[in-house]
Amino acid sequence: MSTEDPIEQLPRGIALAWGVAATPQRGPKREMSVERIVDAAIEIADNDGIQAVSMSAVAKRLGYTPMSLYRYVSAKDDLLLLMQEEATGLPPESEGVENWRTRLEELYEAQSQVYLTQPWLLSLSIMGSPITPNSSAWLDASLEALHDTPLTQDERIAVSIFVTGAARWKGTVFAGYEDQKRATGLNDSELAQQESQLFDAVITDDGYPSLRRAIDAGVFTSEADPFAFGFECGLDGLAEYIDRVSRERGDGPSAAAGMIAETASEAGESSVSGATLPVEETSGVEQSVVTDDDPEVAADKKYRESQKAVRQAQKVLAEARKRERQTLREAKERIAKRR
């Protein structure tokens, strides 16, 4: 292969994620692979948190020496990248979604679930734009949802970042509350009451009048879902913007205004209780997605096993894509040699 091939210039971790990095020809007698190393690291993170993941801990879990692992994954940063790639998985299929709003709602809920079920992902630094296969697939899915809109490519990227950021922020807040629950032994209701009492003790009407009124209204013990409400408001604004751009460019009336009306009731419903979210009403996603919003369900052993099975299926798909890319490169090399 030509030394100028950009594939050869990829950092080791990214090359491993795409399945284009060379693997050791020699190694431990027992079967060893990058996939096994990553799986073991994820199990450690799931059980003990990301801080417990180290090359030595993973090696011990697999019954090897740390040096054996370095033959496959040469740096911990590469291992963390591969863990993030596998835990993130692929975005859900569109399931016949017909408009951009419903699809973005679906992607928002699915990304939220990733962070709710594996909150250790939130501890990993964001190192620029997504370049790995699964991360790129999520970005591609958001952009595809906006394909038939009049938005520019820059605007579509901005919307994709908005969706991902909203899901990540929701996951961050939920993860923080879960840490508090573990540390204090309090349940959701008790924790909300404690938080409200702390605010009540220090927030005065003369110093923070607006916040005082919110506290008196019971916002910290309310069952309303501020994340769903905020996200839906963002989509409302986007729908109006798309409608305006369509009119200004002479494309005729868009479906944006209609979609606002169609989803108004679902958005209102989601703002009343976190148990009902718009995606379940509009995209045909199974109702189990709603119950997963409960961190106790997310931690359930059988549920985690089913998530592992999903990751295994995604791994098979990734392996098939890896073989496809390899055969494509080989075909190009054969053609180049004949020329």
Side-chain angles (χ1 to χ4, degrees):
M1 180 180 294
S2 170
T3 56
E4 297 180 356
D5 191 326
I7 290 294
E8 295 184 354
Q9 309 305 315
L10 289 175
R12 172 73 177 176
I14 294 176
L16 286 169
W18 283 100
V20 296
T23 55
Q25 298 301 311
R26 297 179 181 179
K29 292 182 179 179
R30 287 178 289 173
E31 182 181 358
M32 172 69 90
S33 66
V34 172
E35 290 77 11
R36 284 195 64 197
I37 294 170
V38 173
D39 284 344
I42 288 177
E43 288 176 3
I44 293 173
D46 285 345
N47 295 329
D48 305 315
I50 194 66
Q51 71 281 353
V53 175
S54 66
M55 299 297 277
S56 59
V58 175
K60 182 178 180 181
R61 192 177 190 88
L62 292 172
Y64 293 112
T65 64
M67 289 305 299
S68 299
L69 268 62
Y70 282 108
R71 294 178 58 83
Y72 293 82
V73 182
S74 57
K76 183 180 177 181
D77 285 346
D78 292 345
L79 176 60
L80 294 176
L81 176 68
L82 295 172
M83 291 171 63
Q84 182 179 24
E85 171 72 359
E86 180 162 343
T88 299
L90 293 170
E93 296 294 332
S94 63
E95 301 292 338
V97 173
E98 296 181 356
N99 63 65
W100 61 264
R101 181 167 187 148
T102 302
R103 179 56 170 160
L104 292 184
E105 289 173 338
E106 182 180 66
L107 292 171
Y108 164 74
E109 291 302 331
Q111 288 181 77
S112 296
Q113 291 305 312
V114 170
Y115 293 127
L116 289 171
T117 55
Q118 293 182 298
W120 53 264
L121 283 167
L122 297 162
S123 299
L124 302 180
S125 300
I126 298 176
M127 306 295 287
S129 301
I131 302 176
T132 55
N134 289 348
S135 295
S136 297
W138 282 93
L139 182 56
D140 185 75
S142 293
L143 295 174
E144 176 61 27
L146 301 165
H147 177 73
D148 293 328
T149 70
L151 298 179
T152 66
Q153 294 297 338
D154 284 342
E155 290 168 340
R156 294 176 190 182
I157 285 289
V159 172
S160 301
I161 293 173
F162 161 67
V163 174
T164 299
R168 188 178 182 91
W169 176 236
K170 177 180 178 178
T172 299
V173 174
F174 270 75
Y177 277 109
E178 282 305 298
D179 287 342
Q180 278 192 281
K181 285 165 60 178
R182 282 190 293 270
T184 62
L186 301 177
N187 60 32
D188 288 322
S189 177
E190 292 168 338
L191 194 61
Q193 287 289 345
Q194 182 189 71
E195 190 173 59
S196 181
Q197 290 170 4
L198 291 174
F199 271 101
D200 194 56
V202 296
I203 301 301
T204 60
D205 195 27
D206 56 342
Y208 307 89
S210 296
L211 180 55
R212 183 67 255 176
R213 286 192 292 272
I215 294 170
D216 292 340
V219 294
F220 290 106
T221 56
S222 170
E223 293 185 356
D225 185 346
F227 302 100
F229 177 76
F231 184 68
E232 290 299 324
C233 285
L235 294 187
D236 286 348
L238 178 60
E240 291 184 4
Y241 178 76
I242 290 175
D243 192 53
R244 175 167 61 82
V245 170
S246 295
R247 292 195 305 270
E248 289 175 353
R249 295 178 182 174
D251 296 333
S254 73
M259 280 187 282
I260 293 178
E262 291 171 6
T263 57
S265 60
E266 288 115 352
E269 199 172 339
S270 69
S271 68
V272 174
S273 171
T276 304
L277 299 174
V279 66
E280 278 67 43
E281 298 296 326
T282 58
S283 66
V285 177
E286 294 182 3
Q287 290 297 318
S288 61
V289 175
V290 181
T291 59
D292 296 348
D293 215 18
D294 183 344
E296 292 184 7
V297 174
D300 181 80
K301 182 178 180 181
K302 289 186 176 180
Y303 176 74
R304 298 188 76 85
E305 288 175 351
S306 70
Q307 289 291 299
K308 185 175 181 180
V310 170
R311 288 201 301 270
Q312 292 294 332
Q314 291 174 336
K315 195 182 302 181
V316 172
L317 177 59
E319 182 62 29
R321 289 176 173 171
K322 174 182 174 180
R323 289 196 298 271
E324 180 185 34
R325 291 190 297 270
Q326 179 65 30
T327 55
L328 177 61
R329 286 195 302 275
E330 291 173 352
K332 288 181 177 180
E333 289 176 15
R334 288 193 297 271
I335 293 171
K337 287 178 180 179
R338 287 199 295 269
R339 291 175 179 174

